[in-house]
Amino acid sequence: MNDVEKSIALYTAIAERCEKNGLSNRQAAVYREMIDFMKDCDTVEAMSAKIKNSKYYTAPAVALILDRLDAHKKAAEEEEMPEIAEVYRKKMEEIKADVAAMYVTGYEVTARNYKAKYMSTLDAFGRIYRAYMAFVHAMTTDKTEKESALKDMREAMSNLTLPSDDFLTLARLPKFRKLIATTDVGYGRFVQAVPKILNGEMDLSDEAHQEEQIAEAEWKEISQNKAQILEMGKENLQRIRRAKVTVIAPENAKGQYRYVDEEVH
């Protein structure tokens, strides 16, 4: 195999790799075209000269950037971040219109700023829930605790930006529901309570009564299944092992810990 054949084989391997990963279609197409473009060359030098004087001199780099931008755009669309997807779409159009645009990187800052707003909103939503829990579980007479929770909630609310600055709108989105580790019933109460807390309309006596009712219902269900729970405990007890060990610290920093009286039950 001569040098030209080796070069063709290399470009073929690159094209095949790009085709397999599913994210580099533009690069795959460019390398396939380059293979046909270089087939009539007798030497590597002739291949290099032919490529240098053609569109293929920059085509692989352009294809790489477009594939990368497209992957970012698709990821943003899948995560329901349209503002970020639009940044990458717009940049792709700019490069298609003028290859020199690929050297202008200001779009990265724009995309990063949008991402920061999304992350800030996700974090703030979780903080609102923590403030809600602190507020409703504080003693009725503990004004300091409630005022602190209310302050935290208002501060978190002010950090809601993208995809919306409206709490109720965000609460309806699946990704925000997943942030909150509670039952659907608990989540619904949280969503309904937040506006009331912020408006000073929250009746804690009702909230406490609801908590008590839920606890009583859950305890009743557990009590009704007591025999089954105990039986399952007996079945799993055989699989449980306990270990005990005494650890003796070294006398100096260079010493080693010693483990004695090891027991497994």
Side-chain angles (χ1 to χ4, degrees):
M1 182 182 291
N2 58 40
D3 290 342
V4 172
E5 292 172 333
K6 289 179 180 178
S7 297
I8 296 296
L10 174 61
Y11 278 72
T12 301
I14 294 173
E16 290 175 350
R17 184 188 65 183
C18 290
E19 289 165 347
K20 287 179 180 179
N21 68 35
L23 296 172
S24 308
N25 295 332
R26 294 172 181 80
Q27 295 174 76
V30 165
Y31 283 110
R32 289 294 183 189
E33 291 175 14
M34 292 178 72
I35 292 170
D36 292 333
F37 184 70
M38 297 183 299
K39 277 183 177 179
D40 61 349
C41 295
D42 297 325
T43 65
V44 173
E45 290 74 17
M47 292 171 63
S48 298
K50 190 174 184 181
I51 290 173
K52 189 174 182 179
N53 295 314
S54 72
K55 67 177 184 179
Y56 295 113
Y57 189 62
T58 58
V62 174
L64 170 62
I65 292 176
L66 288 175
D67 280 337
R68 184 180 298 165
L69 290 170
D70 196 29
H72 283 302
K73 182 177 75 70
K74 290 177 180 177
E77 290 170 344
E78 289 175 3
E79 291 299 321
E80 298 179 343
M81 298 177 174
E83 297 85 359
I84 298 175
E86 177 60 17
V87 170
Y88 292 120
R89 187 203 65 77
K90 184 178 179 181
K91 188 61 182 179
M92 290 173 67
E93 293 302 319
E94 290 176 359
I95 294 174
K96 290 175 184 178
D98 182 2
V99 173
M102 71 181 186
Y103 301 110
V104 181
T105 58
Y107 73 95
E108 295 176 346
V109 175
T110 303
R112 193 157 54 241
N113 289 339
Y114 277 128
K115 290 176 184 177
K117 290 180 179 180
Y118 272 99
M119 294 304 103
S120 176
T121 299
L122 289 168
D123 176 69
F125 196 82
R127 285 162 50 204
I128 291 171
Y129 181 72
R130 291 193 293 273
Y132 156 76
M133 293 296 288
F135 186 90
V136 299
H137 289 98
M139 294 291 291
T140 306
T141 56
D142 192 344
K143 293 184 178 180
T144 300
E145 181 67 21
K146 292 191 180 301
E147 287 176 359
S148 177
L150 183 57
K151 178 182 177 182
D152 291 344
M153 184 179 291
R154 285 174 174 162
E155 180 181 345
M157 290 289 286
S158 68
N159 290 328
L160 300 178
T161 54
L162 290 177
S164 174
D165 60 358
D166 180 66
F167 171 76
L168 294 178
T169 298
L170 296 172
R172 289 190 288 269
L173 300 178
K175 70 169 61 178
F176 286 86
R177 168 64 185 96
K178 292 177 182 178
L179 288 175
I180 308 303
T182 186
T183 62
D184 288 341
V185 173
Y187 185 75
R189 291 170 57 200
F190 156 62
V191 173
Q192 293 175 6
V194 167
K196 293 181 180 179
I197 293 174
L198 293 171
N199 294 328
E201 301 170 354
M202 186 67 181
D203 189 339
L204 292 179
S205 61
D206 288 345
E207 183 74 12
H209 180 62
Q210 290 178 13
E211 291 278 1
E212 185 178 342
Q213 286 183 318
I214 291 173
E216 288 179 355
E218 291 177 347
W219 180 251
K220 182 179 180 180
E221 183 178 353
I222 291 172
S223 299
Q224 290 174 345
N225 295 282
K226 181 178 179 180
Q228 183 181 356
I229 294 172
L230 290 174
E231 184 61 30
M232 291 177 63
K234 291 178 181 178
E235 292 178 3
N236 287 282
L237 187 61
Q238 299 177 0
R239 306 176 188 176
I240 297 174
R241 295 292 184 271
R242 289 180 297 172
K244 182 176 70 174
V245 62
T246 301
V247 182
I248 301 176
E251 296 180 357
N252 54 61
K254 295 182 179 180
Q256 299 291 324
Y257 281 92
R258 290 189 296 123
Y259 301 87
V260 300
D261 300 330
E262 297 184 40
E263 295 181 12
V264 178
H265 300 281

